Amino acid sequence: MTQKSLHKRHSELANSKRQLEILSNGIFQNGDLPTFKNKIAETNQFPLKAKKLEILQINVGYMCNQVCEHCHVDAGPDRKEIMTRETMQQCLDVIEKTGAHTLDLTGGAPEMNPDFRWFVEEASKVGIKDFIVRSNLTIIRANKKYYDLPEFFKKHNVHVVSSMPHWTRGKTDKQRGDGVFDKSIKALQDLNAIGYGMPNSNLKLDLVYNPSGAFLPGNQAALEKDFKKALLDDFGIQFHNLFAITNLPISRFLDYLIASENYEDYMYALVEAYNPAAVTNVMCTNTLSVSWDGYLYDCDFNQMLELPVNSKAKHISEYKEQLLEGRNIVISQHCYGCTAGAGSSCQGSVA
Amino acid sequence: MQKTYYDPSDLKKFGKISDWNEELGSKFFEYYNSVFKEGALSEREKSLIALAVAHTIQCPYCIDAYTGDGLQRGITKEEMMEALHVAGAIRGGASLVHGVQMMNKVNKLEM
Ligand code: SF4
Ligand code: SF4
C-alpha cells in the first residue's frame, strides 16, 4: 500500500507534463491507437463544446486521510493545497448567480479543510437544488472531531456520495488501505441510523464504485444490485444509488498501470470500449471544476493534469457565463476513460 | 514468423473470423451474445460457468477473457477459484468414474 503521494515521493509522474507526454507517446504516437481527438472526429464530435453550466464542482483541497492507490488527485496527508476562505467566498458569489442546479464539493477529503463547515453552512443558504459532498467515509471515523459529520450533513441537507470499491473487506482494503472496510461500514451504519440512504428518505446517500485494478467497471445496475444485497445481508446497510466510475489513466492510477505493466492493455481496453453515444454526455459538457486556488478547469481530471479552461475567464473571480458557455473542451487520451462502455462521470454512467 | 501458437493480442481479433465466412460468423456471434444475456441464470452465474469451462477446455483466450469479465462484475478471486474446483472435480471425477469400468474388466478377466 502506498503511504505517500507521488508529489511527496518526487515521482516523475507527479509532474502533469510528464503524464501528458506519456498519454501522447507510444501507442498513440505510432498510430496503433487513434488519439481521442481523431476518434471523436470520426463521428463529427470534435471539438467538444461546453453546454449550459449545471454542475459546479469545487475541489477544496488535496489533503486526505487516505492514500488510495488509484487516486487521480494524488491526495494524501502530505498534500498541503487547501482552499482559503477568501476563495470560498468567491465561489459563493458565483454559486449565487449561476443557474447550476448542483454544487459538488470534493477533495482530497473535503472535511479536512479547516473552513469546510463554514463553507457548507454558507453554501446551503444559497438554495442550490442538489448539494453534494464527496466523503470517503473513513474520515467520519478518523478522529472524534469528525464523529458528528453525519448530523452536520443532515442539518444542511447535504447529499452524501461516498466511495466503496467492493462489498468485501479484502478487495476494499487492497485498494484503499488496511482497516478502510471496517471503518467505512461503521460510517455507513452511522449515516443509516440518522436516515441517510434509507428507502424513501430525502437524505440522499449514494456510493461510488471504481474497479480495484486494471479493468473497467461492469454494468452499473448489476453492480448496484450485488452491492445492495451484500451490504444489506451482511451489515444491514442501505443506500440509494451506485455510481460505477472508470479509473482514468492519470496520476497514481497511471503510475500503477505503468508499474504493473498494464498501461498498454488498459488503453486498448478503453479504446475498444469507446462508445460515441457517451461522448454527447461527458461531464465536462455541463460541469465546471474549480481548484483549491480558484482556477477553472473542464473537469477534476483536467485540473490534475493542469489543463486550464480554454476561455478568457480562467479564475473563479473572473467567472462569466458568456465567456465559458460554448468553450472548446481541452482533451487528451485520458478522456477515453469517460467514453468507455456506458461512459463514466462523477454521477456514474452517462449512456 | 510467429514463434508461439498463442498470441494474447489475437484475442482482440476474434471478430475477424467472420471475414472468411460472414454468414456463419455473424450467426455464431449473435448466438454467443444471446447465450450470455440474463435469463433463468444471471450474467454473473454464466460468467463463472464460462470461467470453469474455459479451464476445462484449457483455452488461454477464454481464461483471459472470463477472468477479466469476472473482475468487472465484482466477482471475487475466492469465487473464481471455487468455480475452478468445480471444473477440477468434474474432470477428476470423469477419470475416476471410469475406474468402475477398469474394475469390471479386471473382475471379468481375473480368476
Ligand atoms: S481516492 Fe479519495 S479517499 Fe482515496 S486518497 Fe484520493 S481523495 Fe482520498
Ligand atoms: S476527462 Fe474531462 S475533459 Fe476529458 S472527456 Fe472526461 S470530463 Fe471531459
Side-chain angles (χ1 to χ4, degrees):
Chain A
M1 185 69 199
T2 333
Q3 291 302 334
K4 287 182 185 154
S5 68
L6 296 172
H7 278 79
K8 184 80 181 178
R9 283 183 267 149
H10 303 290
S11 156
E12 66 160 350
L13 279 185
N15 179 347
S16 61
K17 290 214 171 52
R18 181 69 195 120
Q19 296 180 46
L20 285 164
E21 262 168 41
I22 292 171
L23 287 169
S24 299
N25 289 347
I27 40 180
F28 291 102
Q29 197 172 46
N30 66 20
D32 283 356
L33 290 178
T35 59
F36 189 71
K37 178 182 168 190
N38 289 344
K39 195 73 189 172
I40 63 173
E42 283 173 15
T43 42
N44 297 321
Q45 284 165 300
F46 180 81
L48 260 180
K49 283 197 180 286
K51 293 179 260 189
K52 205 172 163 38
L53 180 70
E54 293 180 54
I55 304 169
L56 190 67
Q57 188 175 60
I58 301 179
N59 193 317
V60 297
Y62 303 157
M63 189 182 278
C64 191
N65 57 319
Q66 294 185 188
V67 197
C68 305
E69 246 191 290
H70 69 287
C71 183
H72 77 267
V73 179
D74 191 25
D78 56 52
R79 295 300 300 266
K80 305 291 178 237
E81 299 87 341
I82 284 289
M83 185 177 275
T84 61
R85 198 181 274 219
E86 191 193 351
T87 309
M88 287 175 173
Q89 186 57 57
Q90 291 172 334
C91 292
L92 288 169
D93 296 342
V94 170
I95 296 163
E96 268 172 45
K97 62 183 187 205
T98 69
H101 55 63
T102 301
L103 175 63
D104 185 341
L105 298 193
T106 188
E111 301 91 335
M112 290 177 89
N113 182 309
D115 291 312
F116 170 74
R117 294 196 192 218
W118 174 81
F119 193 32
V120 170
E121 279 160 17
E122 294 303 311
S124 68
K125 292 180 199 155
V126 182
I128 205 118
K129 214 170 121 222
D130 190 9
F131 186 7
I132 296 173
V133 172
R134 293 189 186 260
S135 174
N136 69 27
L137 291 176
T138 61
I139 189 74
I140 297 177
R141 307 300 309 169
N143 185 303
K144 269 206 184 99
K145 68 177 174 186
Y146 298 123
Y147 284 4
D148 69 329
L149 274 172
E151 286 292 350
F152 175 76
F153 290 147
K154 181 175 177 173
K155 185 167 163 215
H156 299 285
N157 199 20
V158 163
H159 170 181
V160 178
V161 177
S162 293
S163 24
M164 193 79 193
H166 204 263
W167 56 86
T168 58
R169 182 176 289 110
K171 285 199 127 182
T172 302
D173 288 359
K174 210 166 162 201
Q175 180 189 82
R176 307 185 82 88
D178 286 341
V180 167
F181 185 75
D182 291 338
K183 276 194 201 136
S184 304
I185 290 295
K186 177 77 183 82
L188 286 172
Q189 286 166 337
D190 289 355
L191 285 162
N192 275 175
I194 59 167
Y196 266 104
M198 302 309 280
N200 303 320
S201 167
N202 290 329
L203 297 168
K204 294 285 286 169
L205 171 63
D206 296 328
L207 295 186
V208 165
Y209 159 84
N210 53 310
S212 46
F215 52 93
L216 308 185
N219 178 282
Q220 180 168 280
L223 283 164
E224 180 179 290
K225 222 166 108 193
D226 290 341
F227 261 90
K228 284 202 164 162
K229 185 171 177 345
L231 289 178
L232 187 63
D233 289 357
D234 298 350
F235 306 101
I237 287 170
Q238 313 209 53
F239 66 94
H240 291 131
N241 297 108
L242 182 84
F243 303 149
I245 299 188
T246 304
N247 289 314
L248 262 69
I250 68 167
S251 192
R252 287 214 288 267
F253 191 67
L254 179 61
D255 180 59
Y256 153 78
L257 286 176
I258 294 172
S260 61
E261 295 184 5
N262 278 307
Y263 171 71
E264 289 197 358
D265 284 345
Y266 191 75
M267 295 314 287
Y268 266 99
L270 287 180
V271 175
E272 233 166 79
Y274 172 77
N275 176 4
V279 179
T280 334
N281 298 319
V282 279
M283 64 178 170
C284 48
T285 58
N286 69 353
T287 304
L288 195 61
S289 152
V290 187
S291 63
W292 63 278
D293 49 0
Y295 285 91
L296 305 177
Y297 300 86
D298 295 313
C299 67
D300 206 47
F301 306 111
N302 282 8
Q303 181 184 139
M304 302 314 150
L305 290 171
E306 296 175 277
L307 296 170
V309 276
N310 185 358
S311 160
K312 276 209 188 91
K314 295 244 180 270
H315 193 268
I316 190 77
S317 57
E318 304 159 352
Y319 179 90
K320 264 202 195 73
E321 201 164 293
Q322 315 86 279
L323 289 179
L324 288 151
E325 212 174 298
R327 72 183 184 276
N328 289 350
I329 305 286
V330 183
I331 55 169
S332 180
Q333 282 51 261
H334 63 295
C335 296
Y336 275 117
C338 294
T339 57
S344 175
S345 75
C346 287
Q347 333 287 324
S349 299
V350 297
Chain B
M1 210 192 83
Q2 192 175 319
K3 294 238 170 53
T4 52
Y5 285 110
Y6 287 113
D7 179 348
S9 68
D10 283 348
L11 174 57
K12 295 189 193 79
K13 302 177 195 148
F14 189 12
K16 282 197 180 299
I17 64 149
S18 299
D19 289 357
W20 290 6
N21 189 326
E22 172 66 33
E23 192 200 342
L24 293 180
S26 35
K27 275 191 175 151
F28 169 78
F29 284 115
E30 200 196 321
Y31 167 74
Y32 191 104
N33 291 329
S34 308
V35 164
F36 281 95
K37 289 218 171 89
E38 173 135 3
L41 294 179
S42 67
E43 293 183 356
R44 195 173 197 278
E45 287 163 332
K46 291 182 187 191
S47 175
L48 279 166
I49 295 173
L51 184 73
V53 175
H55 283 79
T56 311
I57 56 172
Q58 290 172 297
C59 168
Y61 299 122
C62 310
I63 293 172
D64 251 27
Y66 285 93
T67 304
D69 186 73
L71 287 172
Q72 288 195 13
R73 294 181 191 283
I75 295 175
T76 62
K77 54 182 193 250
E78 291 79 12
E79 290 172 299
M80 292 190 202
M81 189 51 90
E82 263 186 52
L84 259 60
H85 277 288
V86 174
I90 296 293
R91 259 202 149 185
S95 291
L96 291 174
V97 72
H98 287 80
V100 178
Q101 195 180 340
M102 171 196 75
M103 289 160 82
N104 288 344
K105 191 79 181 169
V106 169
N107 288 341
K108 182 160 181 258
L109 294 178
E110 264 188 350
M111 268 197 206

